[in-house]
mmCIF file with all atom_site columns, all heavy atoms in Angstrom:
data_model
loop_
_atom_site.group_PDB
_atom_site.id
_atom_site.type_symbol
_atom_site.label_atom_id
_atom_site.label_alt_id
_atom_site.label_comp_id
_atom_site.label_asym_id
_atom_site.label_entity_id
_atom_site.label_seq_id
_atom_site.pdbx_PDB_ins_code
_atom_site.Cartn_x
_atom_site.Cartn_y
_atom_site.Cartn_z
_atom_site.occupancy
_atom_site.B_iso_or_equiv
_atom_site.pdbx_formal_charge
_atom_site.auth_seq_id
_atom_site.auth_comp_id
_atom_site.auth_asym_id
_atom_site.auth_atom_id
_atom_site.pdbx_PDB_model_num
ATOM 1   N N   . LEU B 1 92  ? 170.340 91.909 34.978 1.00 0.00 ? 92  LEU B N   1
ATOM 2   C CA  . LEU B 1 92  ? 169.352 92.435 34.030 1.00 0.00 ? 92  LEU B CA  1
ATOM 3   C C   . LEU B 1 92  ? 169.748 92.090 32.599 1.00 0.00 ? 92  LEU B C   1
ATOM 4   O O   . LEU B 1 92  ? 168.893 91.960 31.726 1.00 0.00 ? 92  LEU B O   1
ATOM 5   C CB  . LEU B 1 92  ? 169.223 93.955 34.198 1.00 0.00 ? 92  LEU B CB  1
ATOM 6   C CG  . LEU B 1 92  ? 168.507 94.416 35.466 1.00 0.00 ? 92  LEU B CG  1
ATOM 7   C CD1 . LEU B 1 92  ? 168.619 95.910 35.614 1.00 0.00 ? 92  LEU B CD1 1
ATOM 8   C CD2 . LEU B 1 92  ? 167.055 93.979 35.435 1.00 0.00 ? 92  LEU B CD2 1
ATOM 9   N N   . GLY B 1 93  ? 171.045 91.944 32.386 1.00 0.00 ? 93  GLY B N   1
ATOM 10  C CA  . GLY B 1 93  ? 171.518 91.530 31.064 1.00 0.00 ? 93  GLY B CA  1
ATOM 11  C C   . GLY B 1 93  ? 170.947 90.174 30.665 1.00 0.00 ? 93  GLY B C   1
ATOM 12  O O   . GLY B 1 93  ? 170.544 89.968 29.518 1.00 0.00 ? 93  GLY B O   1
ATOM 13  N N   . TYR B 1 94  ? 170.888 89.247 31.637 1.00 0.00 ? 94  TYR B N   1
ATOM 14  C CA  . TYR B 1 94  ? 170.282 87.946 31.350 1.00 0.00 ? 94  TYR B CA  1
ATOM 15  C C   . TYR B 1 94  ? 168.820 88.119 30.939 1.00 0.00 ? 94  TYR B C   1
ATOM 16  O O   . TYR B 1 94  ? 168.341 87.509 29.974 1.00 0.00 ? 94  TYR B O   1
ATOM 17  C CB  . TYR B 1 94  ? 170.340 87.042 32.582 1.00 0.00 ? 94  TYR B CB  1
ATOM 18  C CG  . TYR B 1 94  ? 171.731 86.659 33.032 1.00 0.00 ? 94  TYR B CG  1
ATOM 19  C CD1 . TYR B 1 94  ? 171.977 86.303 34.345 1.00 0.00 ? 94  TYR B CD1 1
ATOM 20  C CD2 . TYR B 1 94  ? 172.794 86.637 32.122 1.00 0.00 ? 94  TYR B CD2 1
ATOM 21  C CE1 . TYR B 1 94  ? 173.242 85.950 34.762 1.00 0.00 ? 94  TYR B CE1 1
ATOM 22  C CE2 . TYR B 1 94  ? 174.062 86.277 32.535 1.00 0.00 ? 94  TYR B CE2 1
ATOM 23  C CZ  . TYR B 1 94  ? 174.280 85.947 33.850 1.00 0.00 ? 94  TYR B CZ  1
ATOM 24  O OH  . TYR B 1 94  ? 175.522 85.584 34.262 1.00 0.00 ? 94  TYR B OH  1
ATOM 25  N N   . VAL B 1 95  ? 168.117 88.964 31.674 1.00 0.00 ? 95  VAL B N   1
ATOM 26  C CA  . VAL B 1 95  ? 166.706 89.214 31.369 1.00 0.00 ? 95  VAL B CA  1
ATOM 27  C C   . VAL B 1 95  ? 166.577 89.791 29.964 1.00 0.00 ? 95  VAL B C   1
ATOM 28  O O   . VAL B 1 95  ? 165.743 89.364 29.161 1.00 0.00 ? 95  VAL B O   1
ATOM 29  C CB  . VAL B 1 95  ? 166.098 90.182 32.412 1.00 0.00 ? 95  VAL B CB  1
ATOM 30  C CG1 . VAL B 1 95  ? 164.662 90.512 32.073 1.00 0.00 ? 95  VAL B CG1 1
ATOM 31  C CG2 . VAL B 1 95  ? 166.211 89.598 33.803 1.00 0.00 ? 95  VAL B CG2 1
ATOM 32  N N   . PHE B 1 96  ? 167.431 90.756 29.691 1.00 0.00 ? 96  PHE B N   1
ATOM 33  C CA  . PHE B 1 96  ? 167.413 91.408 28.379 1.00 0.00 ? 96  PHE B CA  1
ATOM 34  C C   . PHE B 1 96  ? 167.641 90.373 27.276 1.00 0.00 ? 96  PHE B C   1
ATOM 35  O O   . PHE B 1 96  ? 166.926 90.353 26.267 1.00 0.00 ? 96  PHE B O   1
ATOM 36  C CB  . PHE B 1 96  ? 168.503 92.477 28.341 1.00 0.00 ? 96  PHE B CB  1
ATOM 37  C CG  . PHE B 1 96  ? 168.506 93.311 27.105 1.00 0.00 ? 96  PHE B CG  1
ATOM 38  C CD1 . PHE B 1 96  ? 167.760 94.488 27.045 1.00 0.00 ? 96  PHE B CD1 1
ATOM 39  C CD2 . PHE B 1 96  ? 169.258 92.946 25.995 1.00 0.00 ? 96  PHE B CD2 1
ATOM 40  C CE1 . PHE B 1 96  ? 167.757 95.277 25.911 1.00 0.00 ? 96  PHE B CE1 1
ATOM 41  C CE2 . PHE B 1 96  ? 169.252 93.726 24.850 1.00 0.00 ? 96  PHE B CE2 1
ATOM 42  C CZ  . PHE B 1 96  ? 168.502 94.890 24.816 1.00 0.00 ? 96  PHE B CZ  1
ATOM 43  N N   . GLN B 1 97  ? 168.638 89.500 27.486 1.00 0.00 ? 97  GLN B N   1
ATOM 44  C CA  . GLN B 1 97  ? 168.918 88.481 26.476 1.00 0.00 ? 97  GLN B CA  1
ATOM 45  C C   . GLN B 1 97  ? 167.707 87.572 26.249 1.00 0.00 ? 97  GLN B C   1
ATOM 46  O O   . GLN B 1 97  ? 167.399 87.203 25.123 1.00 0.00 ? 97  GLN B O   1
ATOM 47  C CB  . GLN B 1 97  ? 170.109 87.637 26.899 1.00 0.00 ? 97  GLN B CB  1
ATOM 48  C CG  . GLN B 1 97  ? 171.432 88.361 26.759 1.00 0.00 ? 97  GLN B CG  1
ATOM 49  C CD  . GLN B 1 97  ? 172.544 87.587 27.407 1.00 0.00 ? 97  GLN B CD  1
ATOM 50  O OE1 . GLN B 1 97  ? 172.520 86.366 27.436 1.00 0.00 ? 97  GLN B OE1 1
ATOM 51  N NE2 . GLN B 1 97  ? 173.522 88.303 27.921 1.00 0.00 ? 97  GLN B NE2 1
ATOM 52  N N   . LYS B 1 98  ? 167.038 87.200 27.326 1.00 0.00 ? 98  LYS B N   1
ATOM 53  C CA  . LYS B 1 98  ? 165.835 86.373 27.202 1.00 0.00 ? 98  LYS B CA  1
ATOM 54  C C   . LYS B 1 98  ? 164.796 87.085 26.364 1.00 0.00 ? 98  LYS B C   1
ATOM 55  O O   . LYS B 1 98  ? 164.168 86.502 25.492 1.00 0.00 ? 98  LYS B O   1
ATOM 56  C CB  . LYS B 1 98  ? 165.251 86.084 28.589 1.00 0.00 ? 98  LYS B CB  1
ATOM 57  C CG  . LYS B 1 98  ? 165.999 85.024 29.348 1.00 0.00 ? 98  LYS B CG  1
ATOM 58  C CD  . LYS B 1 98  ? 165.162 83.759 29.522 1.00 0.00 ? 98  LYS B CD  1
ATOM 59  C CE  . LYS B 1 98  ? 166.009 82.596 29.987 1.00 0.00 ? 98  LYS B CE  1
ATOM 60  N NZ  . LYS B 1 98  ? 166.566 82.818 31.341 1.00 0.00 ? 98  LYS B NZ  1
ATOM 61  N N   . LEU B 1 99  ? 164.612 88.385 26.651 1.00 0.00 ? 99  LEU B N   1
ATOM 62  C CA  . LEU B 1 99  ? 163.574 89.170 25.982 1.00 0.00 ? 99  LEU B CA  1
ATOM 63  C C   . LEU B 1 99  ? 163.823 89.277 24.487 1.00 0.00 ? 99  LEU B C   1
ATOM 64  O O   . LEU B 1 99  ? 162.906 89.171 23.683 1.00 0.00 ? 99  LEU B O   1
ATOM 65  C CB  . LEU B 1 99  ? 163.482 90.568 26.591 1.00 0.00 ? 99  LEU B CB  1
ATOM 66  C CG  . LEU B 1 99  ? 162.820 90.672 27.962 1.00 0.00 ? 99  LEU B CG  1
ATOM 67  C CD1 . LEU B 1 99  ? 162.826 92.106 28.439 1.00 0.00 ? 99  LEU B CD1 1
ATOM 68  C CD2 . LEU B 1 99  ? 161.400 90.139 27.904 1.00 0.00 ? 99  LEU B CD2 1
ATOM 69  N N   . VAL B 1 100 ? 165.094 89.539 24.096 1.00 0.00 ? 100 VAL B N   1
ATOM 70  C CA  . VAL B 1 100 ? 165.362 89.720 22.660 1.00 0.00 ? 100 VAL B CA  1
ATOM 71  C C   . VAL B 1 100 ? 165.561 88.401 21.945 1.00 0.00 ? 100 VAL B C   1
ATOM 72  O O   . VAL B 1 100 ? 165.739 88.378 20.724 1.00 0.00 ? 100 VAL B O   1
ATOM 73  C CB  . VAL B 1 100 ? 166.579 90.631 22.409 1.00 0.00 ? 100 VAL B CB  1
ATOM 74  C CG1 . VAL B 1 100 ? 166.327 92.014 22.967 1.00 0.00 ? 100 VAL B CG1 1
ATOM 75  C CG2 . VAL B 1 100 ? 167.845 90.018 22.966 1.00 0.00 ? 100 VAL B CG2 1
ATOM 76  N N   . GLY B 1 101 ? 165.544 87.290 22.677 1.00 0.00 ? 101 GLY B N   1
ATOM 77  C CA  . GLY B 1 101 ? 165.610 85.991 22.005 1.00 0.00 ? 101 GLY B CA  1
ATOM 78  C C   . GLY B 1 101 ? 166.955 85.314 22.076 1.00 0.00 ? 101 GLY B C   1
ATOM 79  O O   . GLY B 1 101 ? 167.453 84.790 21.081 1.00 0.00 ? 101 GLY B O   1
ATOM 80  N N   . GLY B 1 102 ? 167.592 85.364 23.218 1.00 0.00 ? 102 GLY B N   1
ATOM 81  C CA  . GLY B 1 102 ? 168.816 84.586 23.404 1.00 0.00 ? 102 GLY B CA  1
ATOM 82  C C   . GLY B 1 102 ? 170.077 85.361 23.088 1.00 0.00 ? 102 GLY B C   1
ATOM 83  O O   . GLY B 1 102 ? 170.043 86.447 22.509 1.00 0.00 ? 102 GLY B O   1
ATOM 84  N N   . ALA B 1 103 ? 171.197 84.737 23.503 1.00 0.00 ? 103 ALA B N   1
ATOM 85  C CA  . ALA B 1 103 ? 172.483 85.416 23.390 1.00 0.00 ? 103 ALA B CA  1
ATOM 86  C C   . ALA B 1 103 ? 172.917 85.620 21.949 1.00 0.00 ? 103 ALA B C   1
ATOM 87  O O   . ALA B 1 103 ? 173.762 86.459 21.659 1.00 0.00 ? 103 ALA B O   1
ATOM 88  C CB  . ALA B 1 103 ? 173.544 84.618 24.143 1.00 0.00 ? 103 ALA B CB  1
ATOM 89  N N   . ASP B 1 104 ? 172.347 84.842 21.002 1.00 0.00 ? 104 ASP B N   1
ATOM 90  C CA  . ASP B 1 104 ? 172.780 84.958 19.612 1.00 0.00 ? 104 ASP B CA  1
ATOM 91  C C   . ASP B 1 104 ? 171.960 85.953 18.814 1.00 0.00 ? 104 ASP B C   1
ATOM 92  O O   . ASP B 1 104 ? 172.288 86.258 17.667 1.00 0.00 ? 104 ASP B O   1
ATOM 93  C CB  . ASP B 1 104 ? 172.709 83.581 18.930 1.00 0.00 ? 104 ASP B CB  1
ATOM 94  C CG  . ASP B 1 104 ? 173.604 82.590 19.656 1.00 0.00 ? 104 ASP B CG  1
ATOM 95  O OD1 . ASP B 1 104 ? 174.660 83.026 20.142 1.00 0.00 ? 104 ASP B OD1 1
ATOM 96  O OD2 . ASP B 1 104 ? 173.231 81.419 19.747 1.00 0.00 ? 104 ASP B OD2 1
ATOM 97  N N   . ALA B 1 105 ? 170.879 86.475 19.417 1.00 0.00 ? 105 ALA B N   1
ATOM 98  C CA  . ALA B 1 105 ? 170.035 87.414 18.685 1.00 0.00 ? 105 ALA B CA  1
ATOM 99  C C   . ALA B 1 105 ? 170.812 88.699 18.393 1.00 0.00 ? 105 ALA B C   1
ATOM 100 O O   . ALA B 1 105 ? 171.684 89.086 19.159 1.00 0.00 ? 105 ALA B O   1
ATOM 101 C CB  . ALA B 1 105 ? 168.800 87.741 19.513 1.00 0.00 ? 105 ALA B CB  1
ATOM 102 N N   . PRO B 1 106 ? 170.512 89.327 17.230 1.00 0.00 ? 106 PRO B N   1
ATOM 103 C CA  . PRO B 1 106 ? 171.282 90.522 16.848 1.00 0.00 ? 106 PRO B CA  1
ATOM 104 C C   . PRO B 1 106 ? 171.206 91.647 17.869 1.00 0.00 ? 106 PRO B C   1
ATOM 105 O O   . PRO B 1 106 ? 172.138 92.421 17.992 1.00 0.00 ? 106 PRO B O   1
ATOM 106 C CB  . PRO B 1 106 ? 170.658 90.944 15.520 1.00 0.00 ? 106 PRO B CB  1
ATOM 107 C CG  . PRO B 1 106 ? 169.402 90.162 15.382 1.00 0.00 ? 106 PRO B CG  1
ATOM 108 C CD  . PRO B 1 106 ? 169.550 88.946 16.202 1.00 0.00 ? 106 PRO B CD  1
ATOM 109 N N   . LEU B 1 107 ? 170.083 91.728 18.601 1.00 0.00 ? 107 LEU B N   1
ATOM 110 C CA  . LEU B 1 107 ? 169.927 92.832 19.542 1.00 0.00 ? 107 LEU B CA  1
ATOM 111 C C   . LEU B 1 107 ? 170.612 92.579 20.885 1.00 0.00 ? 107 LEU B C   1
ATOM 112 O O   . LEU B 1 107 ? 170.751 93.485 21.685 1.00 0.00 ? 107 LEU B O   1
ATOM 113 C CB  . LEU B 1 107 ? 168.449 93.119 19.783 1.00 0.00 ? 107 LEU B CB  1
ATOM 114 C CG  . LEU B 1 107 ? 167.756 93.952 18.710 1.00 0.00 ? 107 LEU B CG  1
ATOM 115 C CD1 . LEU B 1 107 ? 166.289 94.110 19.053 1.00 0.00 ? 107 LEU B CD1 1
ATOM 116 C CD2 . LEU B 1 107 ? 168.416 95.307 18.545 1.00 0.00 ? 107 LEU B CD2 1
ATOM 117 N N   . ALA B 1 108 ? 171.039 91.312 21.125 1.00 0.00 ? 108 ALA B N   1
ATOM 118 C CA  . ALA B 1 108 ? 171.586 90.966 22.442 1.00 0.00 ? 108 ALA B CA  1
ATOM 119 C C   . ALA B 1 108 ? 172.801 91.821 22.777 1.00 0.00 ? 108 ALA B C   1
ATOM 120 O O   . ALA B 1 108 ? 173.022 92.192 23.922 1.00 0.00 ? 108 ALA B O   1
ATOM 121 C CB  . ALA B 1 108 ? 171.948 89.490 22.492 1.00 0.00 ? 108 ALA B CB  1
ATOM 122 N N   . GLY B 1 109 ? 173.571 92.174 21.742 1.00 0.00 ? 109 GLY B N   1
ATOM 123 C CA  . GLY B 1 109 ? 174.770 92.976 21.965 1.00 0.00 ? 109 GLY B CA  1
ATOM 124 C C   . GLY B 1 109 ? 174.475 94.367 22.478 1.00 0.00 ? 109 GLY B C   1
ATOM 125 O O   . GLY B 1 109 ? 175.359 95.053 22.995 1.00 0.00 ? 109 GLY B O   1
#
Side-chain angles (χ1 to χ4, degrees):
Chain B
L92 288 172
Y94 295 155
V95 177
F96 186 90
Q97 286 170 32
K98 283 248 167 65
L99 285 179
V100 298
D104 300 325
L107 280 178

